[in-house]
Amino acid sequence: MSVAAPSVEARSQGVSVAGIPLLATLTVLLFALHIAVGAKPLPLSTVWEAITARDQTIFDHMIIWDLRLPRALIALTVGAALSVAGALMQGVTRNPLADPGILGLMAGASFAVVITTYLFGPSASGWLPWIASAGALATALVVYVIAHMAPGGATPLTLTLSGAAISAFLAAIISIAHLLSEDTFDNLRVWLTGSLAGRDLAMLQITGPWIALALGAGLILARQVTALTMGEDVAKGLGIRTGALKIQLLLVVVVLTACAVALAGPMGFVGLVIPHVARLFVGADYRWIVPYAALIGAAYLLGIDIVARIAIPPREISTGIITAMIGAPFFIQLVRMRAK
Amino acid sequence: MSASGYAGPHVVLRWANERVALRLPVRGIAAIVVLSVLLFGVLALSLTIGSYDIDVATLWATLTGNTVSTAIDNVVWQFRFPRALTAALVGAMMALSGGAMQNVTRNGLADPSLIGISQGAALAVVAAIIAFPGIDYSLRPVIAFGGALIVAVGVQMLSLQRSGNNTIRFILIGIGVAAFISSITSALMTYGDIHRAMSALSWLAGSINAATWNDVNVLSLWFIVLFPLILALSRTMSVLRMGEVTAVALGAPVRLARYGLICVGVGFAAAATAIVGPLGFIGLIAPHMARRLARSGIGIHTVLTALSGALLVSVADLAGRAAFAPIQLPAGLITSIIGVPIFLVLLQRSAAKQHL
């Protein structure tokens, strides 16, 4: 990856390194703001106080610890996980339109959760991430095989079309399961629009370690992803075992997507938009795209969730609806720019 | 209706000393007859099957005006008959809409529910229901038409480019537009009064449950106006199939026909969507099914498309109502489940031969 002259490399790396603390600061600020804003606005000083010196008897501290902090943490985690998943997918499929939602992984994860709930009743939440992972993995493979079989192979166009079709198919079956079992419907209806409301920390405790593990693996593999984006032959020439790498990346993407879905339901287009934004700052080097995507994604979803909560008080819009509203025009513009 | 290029046996009808002659492909006519018989069979079946089973003799008596019992009269005339007719009409209209869109875009994958046209109609209606709760029912199709037309023109404009039209690009942009519009509809439903939103929600699943004679009247009116238009435009349509340049060279009014077809296609989709909600994939499947049944001239193809769509939705509605009785599944869900595999099969061929 050291094609550029050393000086250019060093300078651009300097810029990239400088961006990380800036973005981290932004994320922390949004995190604090996310906790402060709401039906009962709290001053930032109270937020700080509550986190550093928790006092069980103060009502504001209870609000923060029981309601706002879990939600902020989940927004942060889901944003980072989906963005990194999207970035890795875009790299490995060399497809600017790749996104866990567009390629059907989210539909697969939701489908697996809904169907197992329908067939076996609400399963122990410890199993949820794994059920979601199995669904996402199976769907990813099916979408890829279908696109691969189309004449011309797995191009961005065929991948997107087969992803959309499979998503529509699974969505129809999910709706039928809802109609057949009202209980499942009530439990999962809000979850399925991609909502951060009313989550507690239990699921985050289950999925957190796995998300951290997958994010770490993504950072380690990022270097090889950069080589892979230059083409399979180049990557092989650089001594990368592309088959093994692709399987590892697929697993990382599936775990990230499934854990994000288990936490917050399907949250569309986050994984599409954020990696492109990251690329604006750091170019094509995945060693930087992955950490940038994680930070920008976390900040983005925190910001979106703030908007979702305060846009039309006293109600709130599902966060997934807003991400789709922003992401879909972005998708259209990408198609307009990229397709021949 | 130049049928000379198509293979297969023909019957030539001649009148008035061969001054009037009509060349009819046997296979096309046979397909029309078979589909019509099947459609009647499904209609009859859907009148008899249900939570209150009625045997054929009783049904016949009821339909011919003899009251066997008021309950049966009620079930047949007030519930099942309008529902069956609505299903058939909506199916035919979605199918014709899909056929028109596929011809205009020269793209075998164009489907009004895939590229956002149905969603545009749905958004317009949901917005109208939430903003003006007391809105007149018969105005719904007009509102839907406005929303759908804006989306159709918007998708066309977004996918226009200097180097001609890339058909799959058009679909992708349509998918993006559909996602965008759906998210706005969802947001409106969150914002709107929950009671009204729930009634909009059942409608959005493509359900024919609550069809009334009023629906049948509205749909028939739109069908009667639009069907002759699509037949009149079909001559130009068949030339358009050979490509825009050829069509212009042959002297066809291409621009007029394109805009006309878009309006007619959008009109069909909008009216159907306004009454039963978005109904997925019928516009995609029916034209292909018609083409498979008989390779014929465009006129017969149009009729076959309408019949295929009517048959498909009638069967879907019947299946959705009978499969898990007493729970009724919206026909839109059944059509999606049938439609997606067919879409994927079509996708396997489309890249090689972009105009199916």
Side-chain angles (χ1 to χ4, degrees):
Chain A
M1 193 40 228
S2 52
V3 184
S7 63
V8 178
E9 172 97 330
R11 199 190 54 203
S12 73
Q13 279 208 2
V15 173
S16 304
V17 171
I20 298 278
L22 276 178
L23 284 171
T25 315
L26 179 69
T27 310
V28 170
L29 278 179
L30 279 167
F31 187 79
L33 194 64
H34 186 277
I35 294 176
V37 166
K40 181 177 193 295
L42 301 170
L44 282 174
S45 57
T46 315
V47 174
W48 178 250
E49 210 179 282
I51 292 174
T52 51
R54 185 179 179 186
D55 186 346
Q56 299 273 19
T57 54
I58 302 176
F59 182 62
D60 284 352
H61 288 201
M62 277 168 62
I63 297 183
I64 288 172
W65 277 93
D66 292 344
L67 299 171
R68 303 227 177 136
L69 193 63
R71 184 167 180 162
L73 280 175
I74 289 172
L76 180 105
T77 316
V78 169
L82 286 178
S83 304
V84 171
L88 294 177
M89 283 176 92
Q90 289 172 13
V92 74
T93 59
R94 303 174 68 196
N95 174 358
L97 300 178
D99 165 82
I102 294 171
L103 294 194
L105 270 73
M106 283 189 181
S110 325
F111 173 77
V113 170
V114 170
I115 292 303
T116 47
T117 311
Y118 172 64
L119 292 179
F120 308 114
S123 43
S125 50
W127 283 98
L128 208 58
W130 300 114
I131 295 168
S133 294
L137 181 64
T139 315
L141 293 175
V142 168
V143 167
Y144 182 77
V145 166
I146 289 172
H148 190 70
M149 274 158 48
T155 63
L157 306 176
T158 52
L159 273 171
T160 309
L161 283 178
S162 63
I166 295 288
S167 295
F169 185 72
L170 296 177
I173 300 183
I174 289 176
S175 302
I176 290 179
H178 281 169
L179 288 169
L180 294 182
S181 160
E182 297 275 336
D183 297 345
T184 330
F185 184 67
D186 273 354
N187 292 336
L188 299 175
R189 187 182 50 183
V190 182
W191 176 75
L192 275 171
T193 55
S195 166
L196 293 168
R199 310 277 152 208
D200 57 23
L201 282 177
M203 187 52 76
L204 190 62
Q205 277 161 4
I206 298 167
T207 54
W210 294 104
I211 291 183
L213 199 68
L215 285 177
L219 272 174
I220 294 168
L221 294 174
R223 187 187 183 85
Q224 294 171 316
V225 176
T226 313
L228 201 59
T229 54
M230 291 187 278
E232 198 119 337
D233 296 337
V234 177
K236 276 187 184 140
L238 289 169
I240 292 168
R241 290 186 302 155
T242 54
L245 176 62
K246 280 181 174 176
I247 292 172
Q248 289 161 355
L249 284 169
L250 177 65
L251 290 179
V252 169
V253 166
V254 161
V255 168
L256 286 175
T257 307
C259 288
V261 170
L263 275 172
M267 194 82 69
F269 292 101
V270 176
L272 176 79
V273 176
I274 301 304
H276 287 284
V277 177
R279 248 176 239 123
L280 284 181
F281 292 110
V282 292
D285 187 348
Y286 275 81
R287 282 175 302 173
W288 291 109
I289 291 178
V290 169
Y292 265 66
L295 284 172
I296 299 174
Y300 174 73
L301 208 56
L302 282 169
I304 294 284
D305 198 40
I306 293 175
V307 174
R309 289 194 303 156
I310 63 173
I312 44 164
R315 289 223 180 82
E316 61 174 70
I317 309 174
S318 279
T319 318
I321 292 176
I322 302 188
T323 59
M325 251 185 219
I326 298 173
F330 189 89
F331 171 83
I332 295 169
Q333 194 52 36
L334 276 179
V335 174
R336 281 170 59 94
M337 277 162 30
R338 298 291 186 121
K340 297 144 280 173
Chain B
M1 273 190 244
S2 94
S4 53
Y6 299 98
H10 289 77
V11 175
V12 184
L13 302 176
R14 298 163 209 274
W15 290 286
N17 218 0
E18 299 221 1
R19 255 173 289 172
V20 177
L22 192 57
R23 192 157 176 258
L24 293 173
V26 171
R27 185 151 175 210
I29 300 293
I32 289 180
V33 172
V34 170
L35 279 183
S36 308
V37 170
L38 281 175
L39 183 60
F40 271 107
V42 173
L43 282 181
L45 210 59
S46 64
L47 289 181
T48 55
I49 290 180
S51 54
Y52 191 108
D53 280 324
I54 299 168
D55 61 73
V56 179
T58 321
L59 176 69
W60 181 249
T62 310
L63 287 182
T64 46
N66 305 316
T67 304
V68 179
S69 84
T70 36
I72 293 179
D73 249 19
N74 224 356
V75 166
V76 171
W77 284 107
Q78 291 306 313
F79 298 113
R80 293 200 190 153
F81 209 17
R83 178 173 181 166
L85 285 180
T86 304
L89 275 169
V90 163
M93 292 169 90
M94 286 306 281
L96 289 170
S97 171
M101 296 321 287
Q102 289 179 15
N103 260 294
V104 174
T105 60
R106 299 192 56 229
N107 184 340
L109 298 176
D111 172 75
S113 68
L114 196 64
I115 58 174
I117 292 178
S118 294
Q119 284 84 348
L123 174 60
V125 174
V126 168
I129 291 176
I130 287 176
F132 311 102
I135 197 156
D136 191 37
Y137 190 73
S138 60
L139 275 178
R140 272 194 190 183
V142 182
I143 296 164
F145 181 73
L149 192 63
I150 292 170
V151 172
V153 172
V155 173
Q156 282 274 327
M157 273 167 54
L158 282 173
S159 58
L160 267 186
Q161 57 188 146
R162 266 161 273 130
S163 57
N165 273 326
N166 177 327
T167 54
I168 292 190
R169 191 177 114 113
F170 171 80
I171 304 279
L172 281 182
I173 287 181
I175 290 177
V177 170
F180 180 61
I181 295 174
S182 305
S183 69
I184 297 182
T185 310
S186 312
L188 273 181
M189 310 256 287
T190 330
Y191 184 65
D193 183 12
I194 195 74
H195 177 66
R196 270 179 250 150
M198 281 314 281
S199 80
L201 195 66
S202 73
W203 169 77
L204 278 174
S207 164
I208 314 182
N209 290 359
T212 61
W213 282 110
N214 195 11
D215 296 332
V216 178
N217 292 341
V218 174
L219 284 173
S220 323
L221 189 70
W222 282 72
F223 190 81
I224 290 165
V225 173
L226 291 175
F227 192 66
L229 277 176
I230 205 171
L231 277 180
L233 285 167
S234 57
R235 219 179 214 309
T236 324
M237 247 159 94
S238 62
V239 185
L240 260 180
R241 275 181 173 180
M242 291 180 246
E244 206 159 324
V245 179
T246 318
V248 171
L250 286 170
V254 170
R255 190 171 284 265
L256 186 75
R258 277 181 75 95
Y259 290 134
L261 268 180
I262 290 180
C263 280
V264 171
V266 166
F268 273 127
T273 307
I275 301 300
V276 301
L279 211 51
F281 292 95
I282 289 299
L284 179 84
I285 311 170
H288 291 284
M289 187 171 150
R291 211 162 291 137
R292 279 295 178 82
L293 285 171
R295 284 173 58 84
S296 56
I298 190 95
I300 287 181
H301 178 247
T302 307
V303 176
L304 275 176
T305 304
L307 282 172
S308 312
L311 187 63
L312 282 170
V313 176
S314 300
V315 171
D317 186 43
L318 184 62
R321 168 162 94 83
F324 293 100
I327 294 167
Q328 308 212 335
L329 300 180
L333 296 179
I334 311 273
T335 59
S336 290
I337 287 181
I338 307 171
V340 168
I342 297 180
F343 174 82
L344 292 175
V345 171
L346 292 173
L347 180 66
Q348 301 295 315
R349 302 196 210 126
S350 65
K353 204 173 58 157
Q354 286 212 325
H355 180 219
L356 288 160

